[in-house]
Amino acid sequence: MSNANEIRSRPDPDAETERARPDEPERDRRPIVASRRRRLLAYLRHNGERICRDVVVLGVWALVATVWIHAFGLPRWLCYAATFAGVVGYTRVTSPWSRPYLSPDDLE
């Protein structure tokens, strides 16, 4: 019988997320999500539009740079350099993706 009570007392990783306690003012107010699957889904839901926009912008940049460089007969290595410079420049001017939750690993 004690095993059954122990099993029930373990937290379910797919259970609802915990909320930050209101008596802890210095702690982040994002929910704590224990399940990796739920963290991934929350991350994709929160940043999905941004990820798609970034993929489109970088894909268009790579296509335009490739077409432009090949149209002028410039060397192929310049295409790689222009694509790399565009990706680095884009990541420098945009803000990073954010997590709408806290991982239990963040609390350690």
Side-chain angles (χ1 to χ4, degrees):
M1 288 300 237
S2 66
N3 282 341
N5 290 334
E6 288 176 22
I7 291 172
R8 277 188 236 138
S9 67
R10 284 189 211 151
D12 179 13
D14 288 332
E16 284 299 311
T17 59
E18 296 177 30
R19 292 274 175 195
R21 293 183 190 165
D23 59 340
E24 297 177 2
E26 72 280 349
R27 193 168 134 196
D28 197 346
R29 294 291 179 207
R30 295 178 292 173
I32 300 169
V33 181
S35 167
R36 288 179 188 232
R37 183 180 61 84
R38 288 178 63 108
R39 285 194 307 247
L40 175 62
L41 292 174
Y43 186 81
L44 291 175
R45 221 179 358 257
H46 185 72
N47 292 305
E49 181 182 329
R50 172 89 186 273
I51 292 169
C52 291
R53 183 179 64 235
D54 290 349
V55 166
V56 169
V57 167
L58 294 174
V60 168
W61 168 255
L63 181 66
V64 168
T66 302
V67 169
W68 186 76
I69 288 170
H70 287 294
F72 286 104
L74 299 171
R76 181 176 290 192
W77 64 266
L78 189 59
C79 180
Y80 297 117
T83 302
F84 180 75
V87 170
V88 169
Y90 183 76
T91 59
R92 298 293 295 168
V93 299
T94 58
S95 61
W97 299 337
S98 62
R99 294 189 307 173
Y101 58 84
L102 288 174
S103 173
D105 299 335
D106 295 339
L107 304 175
E108 295 176 355

